[in-house]
Amino acid sequence: DAGVIQSPRHEVTEMGQEVTLRCKPISGHNSLFWYRQTMMRGLELLIYFNNNVPIDDSGMPEDRFSAKMPNASFSTLKIQPSEPRDSAVYFCASSLPGTPSDEQYFGPGTRLTVT
Amino acid sequence: QQQVKQSPQSLIVQKGGISIINCAYENTAFDYFPWYQQFPGKGPALLIAIRPDVSEKKEGRFTISFNKSAKQFSLHIMDSQPGDSATYFCAAISGGSNYKLTFGKGTLLTVNP
């Protein structure tokens, strides 16, 4: 398996522009997570999907952020409009079904720079 | 509120030495404690994990020690190798939630040859 696939790997954009990050989870995984990593705040969970349904979006910083999962093999995280403080590495992770605690497999991340 | 506190921020160890990273937590509902390893340019990957019903878990050169009463746990890397150089994150998940990882801030480990 190729693992979790994210694109693009690097994104540089200007403040005010729309940014879309993409993720393909591992086939068969029914849980998908979006994280943000910064030096100041570390790794933060933004949103969690289970069976394509958003279960917990309490980590989404504000309305400028939105995430979708139209099917089991694709998810997007959109920032509109982007701001310099959104600069971070964004990770997508997926996990297998099961209890009690499922290992989360992380993708390589998208490094976002907003100028 | 930082629910999982990790120290040190950075650590330099000589090859063959022991690396020790410590974490403390506040939420007594946490019941699963994984450690993740992250190499530059890569996503974190699960290294080893422990439940609070045991005090120690060992996998190869990696050992987790857990002190439930003190709400502390630590990662020990024996015979540290240059290839172990990475950032290590402790994390915790609370009972009733099998997904919400709360991460420590990370420790950058450098193992000198």
Side-chain angles (χ1 to χ4, degrees):
Chain A
D1 199 316
V4 175
I5 299 173
Q6 291 187 247
S7 64
R9 292 294 312 275
H10 301 272
E11 177 79 35
V12 180
T13 190
E14 293 183 346
M15 181 174 63
Q17 295 298 306
E18 177 181 296
V19 175
T20 300
L21 310 182
R22 297 172 176 78
C23 175
K24 176 179 170 55
I26 294 173
S27 177
H29 286 194
N30 72 341
S31 294
L32 184 137
F33 311 82
W34 283 100
Y35 288 89
R36 179 171 66 177
Q37 184 177 40
T38 62
M39 290 296 293
M40 289 296 294
R41 301 175 66 89
L43 270 162
E44 302 175 285
L45 176 66
L46 299 178
I47 188 168
Y48 159 56
F49 290 88
N50 185 257
N51 291 323
N52 311 337
V53 176
I55 303 299
D56 183 351
D57 65 354
S58 59
M60 296 286 264
E62 47 195 278
D63 292 344
R64 297 185 298 106
F65 286 70
S66 62
K68 293 182 180 180
M69 192 165 185
N71 57 62
S73 59
F74 184 66
S75 177
T76 59
L77 177 68
K78 184 179 293 186
I79 308 173
Q80 166 64 23
S82 58
E83 296 183 4
R85 60 193 169 117
D86 301 330
S87 297
V89 180
Y90 291 82
F91 289 102
C92 176
S94 67
S95 68
L96 279 164
T99 59
S101 300
D102 313 320
E103 177 179 352
Q104 296 182 21
Y105 294 79
F106 284 75
T110 295
R111 181 173 295 277
L112 173 64
T113 303
V114 183
T115 61
Chain B
Q1 179 188 7
Q2 186 183 353
Q3 295 195 55
V4 178
K5 295 183 179 180
Q6 183 172 348
S7 63
Q9 277 190 308
S10 62
L11 180 62
I12 300 175
V13 174
Q14 292 299 117
K15 179 182 175 181
I18 302 174
S19 304
I20 301 174
I21 304 170
N22 300 300
C23 285
Y25 63 97
E26 299 167 1
N27 186 349
T28 55
F30 287 147
D31 63 357
Y32 183 69
F33 302 88
W35 285 87
Y36 279 77
Q37 180 187 54
Q38 184 179 24
F39 293 104
K42 305 288 186 182
L46 180 65
L47 182 65
I48 186 173
I50 196 169
R51 298 200 175 280
D53 53 347
V54 297
S55 60
E56 185 175 283
K57 183 174 182 179
K58 183 175 181 179
E59 291 185 1
R61 297 183 293 107
F62 300 88
T63 300
I64 301 177
S65 298
F66 189 86
N67 185 330
K68 187 174 182 178
S69 61
K71 292 186 287 186
Q72 295 175 347
F73 58 110
S74 60
L75 176 69
H76 295 235
I77 306 174
M78 310 300 289
D79 187 27
S80 299
Q81 299 297 311
D84 298 330
S85 297
T87 300
Y88 292 81
F89 295 92
C90 61
I93 296 179
S94 63
S97 162
N98 65 344
Y99 67 88
K100 197 156 191 174
L101 282 166
T102 299
F103 284 93
K105 287 290 185 70
T107 296
L108 177 61
L109 172 65
T110 302
V111 181
N112 289 328

